[in-house]
Amino acid sequence: MKFWRKPLDADKIQIPHGELHIVWERCKGCSFCVEYCPREVLELSIEFNSKGYHPPVVKKPDDCVKCGLCEMLCPEFAIWVTEKEVDKVES
Amino acid sequence: MSETQVIGKTPQKAEEHPMAKILRMDRIPHIWCSTCGIGTALTSFATALEKVNIPLDHICVVSGIGCSGRIAGYVKLDSFHSTHGRALPFATGLKLGNPKLKVVVISGDGDIAGIGGNHLIHSARRNMDLVVLCINNFVYAMTGGQTAATTPLTAITSTSPYGNYERPFNLPHLAASCGAVYVARWTCLHVRRLAKSIEEAINKKGFSFIEIIAPCSTIYARRNRLGDGLDLMKFYHDNAIIKHGADTRELDIGYQDKIIVGKFVDIERPTFLDSLNAWNKKVLGEKFREYGGPND
């Protein structure tokens, strides 16, 4: 992540980075994850899955900060986040 | 069809869900409708279980009949899918049979407050050491949307096509006035607060009651023309007021009205087993041996 100057606490605070996993065929297209993602990482796909729902797709994969809200809100257990490498703060 | 092949479209990895050690992934996808809130309540419960420091062997889930009653079949814990309304008596028996277990009752409003209402008040009165998660979607959803004991006034259901005129239960007030030691209410949108509340309730000794307001898209929202579950979630977002320690008498839910959520009661009171042991010890003296489980 790039800031206009190096934050003073950059050595203490590391921004986590998440990798999203979506089970395409398990999703029932409720779009809770799309609606409540605080970083607007997801969007509904144009394609259907075999049940006829529109599962989410990752729109901005680099913006995910692994807050895990999509994982907790998903009623279908079809989306989860795992930790990716920690971002280096640049200035 | 196997997940490993179709997980695609986004990052190509076929790992297992982090809650897979609590959920029976072979039973998923579950039967709940799209945009139903029960799955969200279950993820909150699973998140809370990851945080509590109790081995999973010592946690039992009991549920009754109804949409939320299916939860017992989806958790990878010792679980009971009991008869309609009798989840609390089953749980009472389980708890007294082996007091070392932590028994969690997860069921619907129709099951706990409607058909099992009498069991609710008596379990709360005795202060049985149980955790009750009552998932309230305002109707008897699985049987076709009949008026339940929690349906708000003027809401349309299949048995009240011109609107409901029966006064609904105020569940936190009912539980608190009967003697529950921990009473909270959250909606399915407050997942983190709900998970924290469930964690507190599991760690608390005594009858803990948490009402979870869940959207029902197919029955409740469709009949009342409220959109789908996402619209109800947005409604909770705009209309839920967090008020910890609020007077439970003011917690009535009106039709599409403000919903007061929060933790209302958190007190200490001797549980049923504590009272049983203390009283018998007092009356019988040395003759009485404290009951602590089947192997004692």
Side-chain angles (χ1 to χ4, degrees):
Chain A
M1 191 171 279
K2 205 168 166 118
F3 294 97
W4 63 274
R5 66 162 175 81
K6 194 173 182 184
L8 296 173
D9 53 359
D11 51 333
K12 284 179 227 149
I13 293 173
Q14 291 177 320
I15 297 167
H17 201 70
E19 188 179 0
L20 285 155
H21 306 262
I22 298 165
V23 185
W24 185 261
E25 292 297 340
R26 202 188 278 165
C27 177
K28 286 183 195 159
C30 67
S31 73
F32 288 176
C33 53
V34 178
E35 179 72 27
Y36 290 106
C37 176
R39 301 289 295 250
E40 298 180 356
V41 172
L42 297 157
E43 66 177 350
L44 284 186
S45 66
I46 306 161
E47 292 168 63
F48 297 103
N49 66 9
S50 65
K51 288 178 193 159
Y53 295 112
H54 296 281
V57 286
V58 182
K59 182 170 59 172
K60 297 185 275 184
D62 297 335
D63 280 12
C64 177
V65 291
K66 197 184 174 283
C67 71
L69 194 63
C70 53
E71 184 184 315
M72 284 192 80
L73 274 172
C74 178
E76 308 293 329
F77 319 105
I79 185 168
W80 66 92
V81 210
T82 50
E83 179 116 33
K84 230 170 153 181
E85 82 289 345
V86 175
D87 236 5
K88 281 219 171 72
V89 174
E90 294 165 21
S91 58
Chain B
M1 68 195 61
S2 93
E3 274 162 32
T4 48
Q5 289 158 11
V6 292
I7 188 171
K9 307 288 177 189
T10 36
Q12 307 275 329
K13 272 195 185 170
E15 289 160 16
E16 196 46 288
H17 197 279
M19 291 165 195
K21 59 175 184 281
I22 291 167
L23 302 169
R24 284 190 203 174
M25 280 309 183
D26 51 328
R27 309 283 295 168
I28 309 277
H30 49 61
I31 62 149
W32 300 314
C33 311
S34 171
T35 73
C36 172
I38 299 172
T40 309
L42 182 52
T43 58
S44 300
F45 174 64
T47 312
L49 279 195
E50 281 168 11
K51 286 183 188 155
V52 292
N53 210 5
I54 301 175
L56 292 183
D57 287 351
H58 288 205
I59 296 175
C60 291
V61 172
V62 182
S63 66
I65 299 294
C67 291
S68 349
R70 304 284 305 193
I71 282 182
Y74 295 130
V75 290
K76 208 193 274 176
L77 306 165
D78 292 338
S79 55
F80 255 124
H81 192 180
S82 66
T83 48
H84 201 354
R86 316 298 170 225
L88 279 162
F90 270 78
T92 302
L94 203 55
K95 180 73 195 174
L96 294 185
N98 188 356
K100 289 185 187 76
L101 296 177
K102 193 78 216 176
V103 185
V104 184
V105 177
I106 311 181
S107 213
D109 56 316
D111 193 69
I112 285 178
I115 285 138
N118 205 23
H119 304 303
L120 171 70
I121 59 176
H122 287 289
S123 304
R125 173 179 67 84
R126 293 185 181 123
N127 200 14
M128 291 302 309
D129 192 3
L130 304 172
V131 179
V132 181
L133 308 181
C134 177
I135 300 178
N136 182 358
N137 54 12
F138 302 123
V139 281
Y140 288 114
M142 188 173 261
T143 50
Q146 290 84 356
T147 308
T150 46
T151 310
L153 285 172
T154 73
I156 290 168
T157 64
S158 63
T159 49
S160 61
Y162 303 110
N164 175 37
Y165 46 82
E166 298 172 21
R167 187 176 178 275
F169 264 137
N170 173 353
L171 287 179
H173 184 49
L174 177 70
S177 55
C178 293
V181 293
Y182 185 96
V183 180
R185 175 198 273 163
W186 296 105
T187 73
C188 273
L189 187 62
H190 301 89
V191 271
R192 289 196 198 282
R193 292 172 198 269
L194 174 59
K196 193 159 176 289
S197 201
I198 294 173
E199 196 190 330
E200 279 176 17
I202 289 176
N203 286 328
K204 190 153 178 85
K205 219 176 167 200
F207 190 85
S208 311
F209 182 88
I210 301 175
E211 182 187 4
I212 306 168
I213 311 274
C216 174
S217 54
T218 311
I219 303 286
Y220 182 75
R222 183 173 59 89
R223 277 226 166 73
N224 288 290
R225 307 218 183 282
L226 300 175
D228 62 6
L230 183 62
D231 294 311
L232 280 178
M233 284 290 220
K234 285 178 185 161
F235 172 78
Y236 300 152
H237 183 264
D238 297 336
N239 291 282
I241 306 164
I242 298 172
K243 216 184 212 178
H244 292 295
D247 189 348
T248 50
R249 281 172 296 185
E250 293 158 8
L251 299 178
D252 281 306
I253 300 178
Y255 177 67
Q256 292 301 90
D257 200 1
K258 300 272 181 213
I259 300 171
I260 297 172
V261 295
K263 181 173 84 174
F264 309 121
V265 177
D266 193 354
I267 53 169
E268 298 291 335
R269 205 158 71 82
T271 62
F272 177 79
L273 268 178
D274 290 347
S275 315
L276 181 142
N277 284 330
W279 178 253
N280 282 326
K281 198 157 198 146
K282 194 177 167 192
V283 176
L284 301 171
E286 289 300 307
K287 275 193 295 180
F288 181 71
R289 201 158 56 86
E290 267 194 32
Y291 178 66
N295 298 323
D296 276 7

